[in-house]
Short mmCIF file of all heavy atoms in Angstrom, two decimals:
data_model
loop_
_atom_site.label_atom_id
_atom_site.label_comp_id
_atom_site.label_asym_id
_atom_site.label_seq_id
_atom_site.Cartn_x
_atom_site.Cartn_y
_atom_site.Cartn_z
N GLY A 1544 132.03 104.59 125.80
CA GLY A 1544 130.77 104.58 125.06
C GLY A 1544 130.50 105.89 124.36
O GLY A 1544 131.41 106.53 123.82
N SER A 1545 129.26 106.33 124.40
CA SER A 1545 128.84 107.53 123.67
C SER A 1545 129.36 108.81 124.31
O SER A 1545 129.77 108.82 125.48
CB SER A 1545 127.31 107.60 123.59
OG SER A 1545 126.80 106.57 122.80
N SER A 1546 129.29 109.88 123.54
CA SER A 1546 129.62 111.20 124.08
C SER A 1546 128.47 111.70 124.96
O SER A 1546 127.34 111.21 124.89
CB SER A 1546 129.86 112.19 122.94
OG SER A 1546 130.95 111.78 122.14
N THR A 1547 128.78 112.69 125.77
CA THR A 1547 127.80 113.24 126.72
C THR A 1547 127.15 114.48 126.12
O THR A 1547 127.84 115.39 125.65
CB THR A 1547 128.48 113.58 128.05
OG1 THR A 1547 129.01 112.37 128.62
CG2 THR A 1547 127.50 114.20 129.03
N GLY A 1548 125.82 114.51 126.15
CA GLY A 1548 125.08 115.66 125.65
C GLY A 1548 124.12 116.21 126.69
O GLY A 1548 124.17 115.83 127.86
N LYS A 1549 123.22 117.07 126.25
CA LYS A 1549 122.30 117.72 127.18
C LYS A 1549 120.99 116.97 127.36
O LYS A 1549 120.10 117.44 128.09
CB LYS A 1549 122.01 119.15 126.71
CG LYS A 1549 123.23 120.07 126.78
CD LYS A 1549 122.86 121.51 126.42
CE LYS A 1549 124.06 122.44 126.53
NZ LYS A 1549 123.74 123.85 126.24
N ASP A 1550 120.85 115.81 126.72
CA ASP A 1550 119.60 115.06 126.87
C ASP A 1550 119.55 114.34 128.21
O ASP A 1550 120.55 113.85 128.71
CB ASP A 1550 119.43 114.06 125.73
CG ASP A 1550 120.59 113.07 125.62
OD1 ASP A 1550 121.74 113.54 125.68
OD2 ASP A 1550 120.35 111.86 125.47
N GLY A 1551 118.36 114.30 128.80
CA GLY A 1551 118.17 113.54 130.03
C GLY A 1551 118.58 114.25 131.30
O GLY A 1551 118.59 113.63 132.36
N ILE A 1552 118.95 115.52 131.23
CA ILE A 1552 119.34 116.22 132.46
C ILE A 1552 118.13 116.29 133.40
O ILE A 1552 117.04 116.67 133.01
CB ILE A 1552 119.87 117.63 132.14
CG1 ILE A 1552 121.17 117.52 131.34
CG2 ILE A 1552 120.08 118.44 133.42
CD1 ILE A 1552 121.70 118.83 130.84
N HIS A 1553 118.36 115.88 134.62
CA HIS A 1553 117.32 115.82 135.66
C HIS A 1553 116.24 114.80 135.35
O HIS A 1553 115.10 114.92 135.80
CB HIS A 1553 116.69 117.18 135.93
CG HIS A 1553 117.34 117.90 137.08
ND1 HIS A 1553 117.30 117.40 138.38
CD2 HIS A 1553 118.07 119.04 137.14
CE1 HIS A 1553 117.97 118.24 139.18
NE2 HIS A 1553 118.45 119.22 138.45
N GLY A 1554 116.59 113.75 134.58
CA GLY A 1554 115.63 112.68 134.33
C GLY A 1554 115.20 111.98 135.61
O GLY A 1554 114.04 111.62 135.78
N ALA A 1555 116.14 111.80 136.55
CA ALA A 1555 115.81 111.14 137.81
C ALA A 1555 114.84 111.98 138.63
O ALA A 1555 113.92 111.45 139.28
CB ALA A 1555 117.08 110.88 138.62
#
Side-chain angles (χ1 to χ4, degrees):
S1545 293
S1546 299
T1547 298
K1549 293 185 178 182
D1550 57 314
I1552 294 173
H1553 265 296

